Amino acid sequence: MESSGFWRRTPAFTPSKIHVEYSGQAITPDTAIRGLSSQRTPSPEPTSRPLTATSQSPPSDHLSPLSIQSPLSAQSPHKPADPTHEKFHMALGAATIDLALLQKLSWTGIPREYRAITWQLLMGYLPLASTRRAGTLQRKRKEYGDWVRQTFARGEDALDRVLWRQIQVDVPRTSPGSPVFQNPRVQRCLERILYAWAARHPASGYVQGINDLLTPFVYVFLEAECNGDTTALDRADLDAIDDAQMDGVEADSFWSLSKLLDGIQDNYTHAQPGIQRQIVKLKDLVTRVDHTLAAHLQSEGVEFVQFAFRWINCLLMRELRLASIIRMWDTYLAEPNGFAMFHIYVCAAMLLKWSAQLRAMDFQQIMLFLQQPPALQWATEDVELLLSEAYMLKCLYHDAPRHLHKN
């Protein structure tokens, strides 16, 4: 399997100017959140509706190269009227994508109709040269399809029974409130992707939490196959998506998940050392920024590992709505090492946001609050403010590891 070079190749995106107003309510990087306005509304969250149960066999011999073109092919011949859409239209229409420009545009959010291909480009799954894109997509989809067909050809009895059983237990628990991920057809895709990834990565294998990380990719790529018709996706009306399209979604989701996990694989090896290191960094950062809060947590016997382990292991997938996570990942993909380093600043900003409330709580109240923080009802603007606060923490502390350290 190819190892991702994205984390090494990606140049850092740094807004040119920064204005800091650290009042606890508004922290605004001048360039990073320019363009935030009420024009962007929260992405619709899947709602609970009756499912149309369908069955899906393992991917067929042929993975049809659906959506191998830029989404521009589906757009009107006229340039989009919205300035943000026009910028993406121009950037994605180039013969060779300017990665730095695409990262800068994506930091403040990607329009729905451009998100699938933009994520694939930012992940390094698709090449920047448009002439190589179709061939790469066909080759990668065929490679995944061949592996799945060979692996499942002898039936489930030939699989690693312990691994397969754990995946089958976890998949129905994945996004239980979403009709999309309770659809049997989608669940079979999730099972195969997770088994394929674990089998190809024996050093780490499958760890609970990886199933959560798969859902944004599947949702975004399914949305693209529905041509942005979120109402069809919300009611889990997936019958309109044929087997070839579903095979493409499955393969693209597998490779995208692989690219993501290449950058944080230490989080899922034995004893999960990556997560342990990040918890230490989070505690150190919060102590430096809000010593009073850190001292209160310590006095109440609250250990960061008790709440931060899940925040890092699942990348806040269980604390935020899927729509919020998808918006957050737009920025993570635009940041160098966004799912590891930048995520720590997001977790810190989230904890600091509730500093006053937490300092008035005892141990039991703190743990109940942090295990179910009041973030599920956040709108897009709330997520974008959190991202901007995280960006400011990164600017202030990332290159000054001893800054404000107490002796």
Side-chain angles (χ1 to χ4, degrees):
M1 174 174 174
E2 299 178 358
S3 61
S4 172
F6 172 74
W7 311 110
R8 296 186 298 276
R9 292 196 310 269
T10 305
F13 161 62
T14 305
S16 57
K17 295 182 181 179
I18 301 169
H19 172 70
V20 180
E21 183 180 345
Y22 194 81
S23 64
Q25 297 184 9
I27 307 174
T28 309
D30 183 29
T31 307
I33 64 168
R34 182 179 297 156
L36 302 186
S37 70
S38 58
Q39 295 178 354
R40 286 207 304 271
T41 56
S43 301
E45 184 71 9
T47 55
S48 298
R49 295 197 179 155
L51 299 180
T52 301
T54 59
S55 61
Q56 169 76 350
S57 59
S60 60
D61 291 349
H62 177 64
L63 284 174
S64 177
L66 268 283
S67 303
I68 58 177
Q69 305 269 340
S70 157
L72 303 179
S73 60
Q75 303 298 314
S76 163
H78 302 290
K79 290 184 179 181
D82 180 82
T84 300
H85 285 64
E86 182 175 354
K87 290 177 182 178
F88 274 92
H89 183 96
M90 297 298 293
L92 293 171
T96 301
I97 301 294
D98 182 338
L99 183 59
L101 173 61
L102 190 61
Q103 289 172 319
K104 185 174 182 179
L105 293 175
S106 300
W107 208 101
T108 53
I110 304 170
R112 182 183 297 114
E113 59 267 38
Y114 299 104
R115 181 171 278 129
I117 190 171
T118 300
W119 277 22
Q120 292 172 357
L121 289 164
L122 292 176
M123 293 295 300
Y125 171 46
L126 290 183
L128 300 178
S130 60
T131 55
R132 296 177 50 218
R133 221 164 283 156
T136 298
L137 196 64
Q138 289 175 326
R139 175 173 56 82
K140 300 299 285 185
R141 288 179 172 182
K142 183 178 185 303
E143 181 181 342
Y144 173 79
D146 289 346
W147 188 92
V148 168
R149 188 172 57 256
Q150 294 167 10
T151 301
F152 288 87
R154 293 177 292 172
E156 296 181 4
D157 290 340
L159 304 178
D160 180 325
R161 301 188 69 174
V162 174
L163 171 60
W164 183 243
R165 175 57 183 162
Q166 183 61 60
I167 290 172
Q168 287 190 310
V169 168
D170 286 348
V171 163
R173 300 173 180 172
T174 303
S175 298
S178 167
V180 173
F181 294 104
Q182 296 307 302
N183 184 294
R185 195 178 178 198
V186 174
Q187 289 184 344
R188 301 296 80 77
C189 289
L190 298 182
E191 289 171 354
R192 289 190 292 268
I193 293 169
L194 294 171
Y195 187 88
W197 189 88
R200 293 169 67 107
H201 295 80
S204 53
Y206 174 73
V207 176
Q208 286 180 311
I210 294 178
N211 55 313
D212 293 308
L213 306 187
L214 178 57
T215 56
F217 293 120
V218 174
Y219 190 89
V220 167
F221 298 157
L222 278 173
E223 190 176 62
E225 293 297 348
C226 292
N227 296 318
D229 181 5
T230 58
T231 59
L233 200 55
D234 289 346
R235 64 177 180 266
D237 184 11
L238 304 180
D239 291 340
I241 301 179
D242 62 31
D243 287 349
Q245 290 174 297
M246 188 65 81
D247 290 346
V249 168
E250 182 175 336
D252 295 347
S253 298
F254 167 78
W255 290 114
S256 297
L257 177 69
S258 298
K259 290 287 187 180
L260 164 62
L261 294 177
D262 281 349
I264 55 174
Q265 192 162 349
D266 276 358
N267 288 9
Y268 305 104
T269 54
H270 178 67
Q272 300 180 268
I275 293 179
Q276 302 298 335
R277 288 194 299 270
Q278 290 180 70
I279 290 173
V280 171
K281 291 179 182 178
L282 176 61
K283 181 178 180 180
D284 179 64
L285 179 61
V286 172
T287 300
R288 292 155 64 192
V289 179
D290 191 340
H291 182 73
T292 304
L293 172 60
H296 178 70
L297 295 177
Q298 184 175 7
S299 69
E300 291 295 329
V302 177
E303 298 290 341
F304 274 68
V305 70
Q306 293 172 309
F307 62 88
F309 186 92
R310 190 176 78 177
W311 289 12
I312 298 170
N313 186 63
C314 301
L315 295 178
L316 295 173
M317 287 288 304
R318 300 181 185 180
E319 284 68 37
L320 298 171
R321 297 182 307 132
L322 179 58
S324 298
I325 291 293
I326 289 172
R327 169 60 192 90
M328 187 177 292
W329 282 24
D330 290 346
T331 297
Y332 279 20
L333 288 166
E335 278 282 333
N337 211 9
F339 292 94
M341 180 270 292
F342 189 69
H343 182 65
I344 296 305
Y345 291 99
V346 170
C347 290
M350 192 163 161
L351 190 62
L352 295 169
K353 184 180 185 69
W354 299 308
S355 177
Q357 297 100 303
L358 292 170
R359 285 186 276 113
M361 297 178 183
D362 59 22
F363 174 84
Q364 184 174 3
Q365 293 170 325
I366 291 171
M367 292 308 303
L368 289 174
F369 183 90
L370 294 178
Q371 287 170 2
Q372 293 184 316
L376 284 174
Q377 302 307 314
W378 279 2
T380 301
E381 290 76 13
D382 298 311
V383 174
E384 291 176 331
L385 180 59
L386 181 74
L387 291 167
S388 71
E389 291 169 344
Y391 181 79
M392 297 315 301
L393 290 174
K394 173 193 167 186
C395 291
L396 291 170
Y397 295 100
H398 184 63
D399 293 324
R402 306 303 297 176
H403 183 49
L404 295 183
H405 239 322
K406 294 182 178 292
N407 294 325

